[in-house]
Amino acid sequence: MNEQQLLTFIEVARRKHFRQAADALQLTQPAVSAQIRSLEEELGTTLFYRPNVKLTSSGSLFLPYALQIVDLIREAKESISENEKKPINRPMVIGTTSCLAMTVLLRLTHYFQSFRQTLPLRVLTLSADEIITALNEGQVDLGIAYKLDSLPSHIQTKTLFYDSFALIASYDHPLAKKNTYITVSDLEHIPIISFAPSTMERRMMDQIFKQYGIQLNIMIELTSVDEIKSLVAANYGAALIPTISVDSKSSSYRRIHMTKFDHSFPVQLYYPEKRYQSRTLRKLIEDISGIYTVEDGLGD
């Protein structure tokens, strides 16, 4: 049993498809099949049902062990690199939502530069549910997303800051031409471009407006905050988006100020409790709350 066999097994389990796993690993499909077959022979069991490529009960049992072994190999390599002061080539991978991606990237880049860390950094844009799946499967080291209602017991959390929803509209929109504030009850009569029901942002929005007894007049539903802002800029309607996603210097839309709309929701760090953490990753988890400060407009 070797590391490549384990990585191949994990990738096939993740994608449920031999060819897709081969493409991701930059191997041929016969090579992937041969590695899985060799691993099954060594373990004396079948790991995948064929042809639908689903984990057998033995495969499901073996998967967490495979992840742990790969983590231990990574830990050994990184410990040796740290001991010999060699640069670590493996990037730190952060999973976050589209609303938070730019802020996460900017703050983390500044953080690593502040103590001259040259660690490669990758930020993946995922839905909140996909972030938890990616953490479970070892695809990302950390997740940053709005607070989820339920989590696996082994996923730990840390609150980073609190966000809120802001109303935006094109400069040509009637709301942008008013000099008065609008109230939350006014939203019932305004065509709204909203997040799709499957998104965490929409679920939070529905909960907030349910408390206010408000039924929003939603006309268009999208999954991406950038798509929403594009339609707002084209004057298809107003939109409620997380305040952190609002560009105060935008020439395409402006923020519409509201009264009697008091609410907030936490942005949290997510990480597996028992997964191997490099020294740099441990330090980041310890320091990360300080990255998002009140001075940045992102604090509690």
Side-chain angles (χ1 to χ4, degrees), residues 150-284:
S150 60
L151 288 171
S153 59
H154 66 282
I155 298 294
Q156 301 296 299
T157 65
K158 190 173 186 178
T159 298
L160 302 180
F161 61 93
Y162 287 82
D163 201 359
S164 60
F165 283 112
L167 180 66
I168 62 171
S170 161
Y171 281 96
D172 294 326
H173 194 283
L175 287 176
K177 298 176 181 179
K178 288 185 177 181
N179 293 322
T180 58
Y181 285 65
I182 70 166
T183 65
V184 66
S185 59
D186 293 330
L187 292 175
E188 286 190 300
H189 312 293
I190 299 169
I192 294 291
I193 303 167
S194 175
F195 289 94
S198 61
T199 63
M200 187 65 205
E201 290 82 0
R202 175 61 178 276
R203 294 199 291 268
M204 293 190 303
M205 191 184 301
D206 288 345
Q207 290 175 1
I208 290 168
F209 284 100
K210 184 177 181 180
Q211 294 173 358
Y212 278 95
I214 299 294
Q215 182 69 43
L216 292 176
N217 181 21
I218 295 174
M219 306 299 291
I220 302 173
E221 297 175 330
L222 299 165
T223 57
S224 163
V225 69
D226 291 327
E227 293 172 346
I228 291 173
K229 289 193 286 188
S230 293
L231 287 190
V232 168
N235 203 19
Y236 279 84
L240 287 155
I241 64 173
T243 302
I244 198 171
S245 301
V246 177
D247 180 2
S248 60
K249 298 179 181 179
S250 173
S251 60
S252 302
Y253 64 83
R254 57 164 287 193
R255 182 175 179 180
I256 310 300
H257 292 286
M258 299 175 60
T259 60
K260 301 179 181 179
F261 189 39
D262 298 323
H263 68 285
S264 65
F265 39 87
V267 174
Q268 294 189 317
L269 175 74
Y270 298 88
Y271 56 97
E273 182 180 22
K274 297 181 180 179
R275 185 70 49 80
Y276 162 68
Q277 296 170 353
S278 67
R279 186 182 305 168
T280 303
L281 184 58
R282 290 195 301 272
K283 179 172 174 53
L284 174 59

